Amino acid sequence: MRAALDFSTSMLATLSEQGRGVQSRAAGRQPSELLELYDMEGCPFCRLVREALTDLDLDAMIYPCPKGGTRFRPLVEKLGGLTQFPFLMDPNTDEALYESADIIAYLYREYGSRPAPRQWLTRSVHTAGSFGASALRHGRGLRAQDGQLPAEPLELYSFEASPFARPVRELLTELELPYILRQMGRTQAADWLLPALRERVAPDYVPTQRNRAALLARTGRVAVPYLIDPNTGTELFESADILRYLNEQYR
Ligand SMILES: N[C@@H](CCC(=O)N[C@@H](CS)C(=O)NCC(=O)O)C(=O)O
């Protein structure tokens, strides 16, 4: 019952994103070093930035900064002077930015080779949609809980609007677990089929998006979310199994 309610509000949050954060059109170029985003999963402004990362097919190192968190929050004030999120650091250019609209404009300018879509730049119904998504999740992914810091960051294959990946990112935020966000945005019609159905109706599925192709080569499957924990050698599909694992291992 709780799982069904959780999925329903996550699905409604996805609808509230109005189609953003699902598809990818590859960036003009990939950064050689990972972008670093100081973020809270439940923050509506951070969500707009993560939607743009999916659209641009840019991976990022996520440093979760939930309210009450002590791991990465102080670093943001030290690096940029404010405790405000999102905060982007680009080690490739040494750019450090606050303000979601400025970050999004920077990402399209630096990596997109195309202008930022208007919906991310205007304070409008789209920002309201992102607030709606946060409200639907009742404060999940916003407040710190006690968790252990792993030696190595985890790795999550995800796309922003996935209703299954969202609860995993929320828990990663709450436990302040740093993770490499690997984009899995959709680039072709077959990407839209749920994995179990696709395995039956399109057994010859060949993903064109780079992380989908890498995941297929690694595991023989393409499904979101997928977690890699280099600290324990654990690799998992299925959001419920990933949540259980994170709670047992790090809470
Ligand atoms: N105009 C800023 C607004 C950012 C903002 O208000 N972020 C909130 C989180 S949703 C924040 O940093 N709050 C301070 C805190 O959490 O300590 C933007 O678009 O990035």
Side-chain angles (χ1 to χ4, degrees), residues 7-172:
F7 175 75
S8 306
T9 59
S10 189
M11 191 67 214
L12 287 171
T14 291
L15 295 176
S16 193
E17 291 186 86
Q18 304 155 16
R20 299 185 307 275
V22 180
Q23 300 188 66
S24 284
R25 278 198 302 139
R29 67 184 181 90
Q30 286 284 334
S32 45
E33 280 188 62
L34 280 173
L35 302 169
E36 297 169 11
L37 183 65
Y38 293 80
D39 151 285
M40 285 181 272
E41 177 60 31
C43 159
F45 302 104
C46 301
R47 179 175 298 107
L48 294 172
V49 172
R50 295 193 310 268
E51 289 169 352
L53 289 173
T54 292
D55 186 55
L56 285 165
D57 195 20
L58 293 172
D59 297 342
M61 181 73 219
I62 305 288
Y63 291 109
C65 298
K67 290 177 192 298
T70 52
R71 257 174 222 164
F72 306 114
R73 272 200 163 229
L75 207 56
V76 171
E77 192 174 357
K78 215 155 125 193
L79 290 168
L82 296 173
T83 307
Q84 182 180 299
F85 307 94
F87 177 66
L88 181 87
M89 288 275 297
D90 184 346
N92 304 281
T93 60
D94 287 333
E95 195 76 44
L97 291 164
Y98 290 104
E99 290 298 328
S100 52
D102 293 345
I103 295 172
I104 292 166
Y106 168 78
L107 292 172
Y108 280 92
R109 191 171 63 242
E110 190 65 30
Y111 297 108
S113 304
R114 60 184 194 264
R118 275 178 60 79
Q119 69 251 39
W120 278 293
L121 296 180
T122 46
R123 307 256 170 220
S124 65
V125 70
H126 301 96
T127 308
S130 191
F131 268 91
S134 293
L136 283 157
R137 295 300 286 166
H138 295 291
R140 297 263 305 268
L142 273 179
R143 269 175 276 285
Q145 300 180 17
D146 284 343
Q148 284 174 20
L149 178 65
E152 296 285 325
L154 311 189
E155 210 169 319
L156 183 72
Y157 286 71
S158 162
F159 60 90
E160 177 52 37
S162 163
F164 300 102
R166 179 174 293 108
V168 173
R169 296 193 310 259
E170 287 168 347
L171 186 57
L172 289 167

Side-chain angles (χ1 to χ4, degrees), residues 226-240:
Y226 185 70
L227 181 84
I228 299 176
D229 185 347
N231 303 284
T232 60
T234 304
E235 303 201 9
L236 289 168
F237 284 109
E238 293 299 324
S239 51

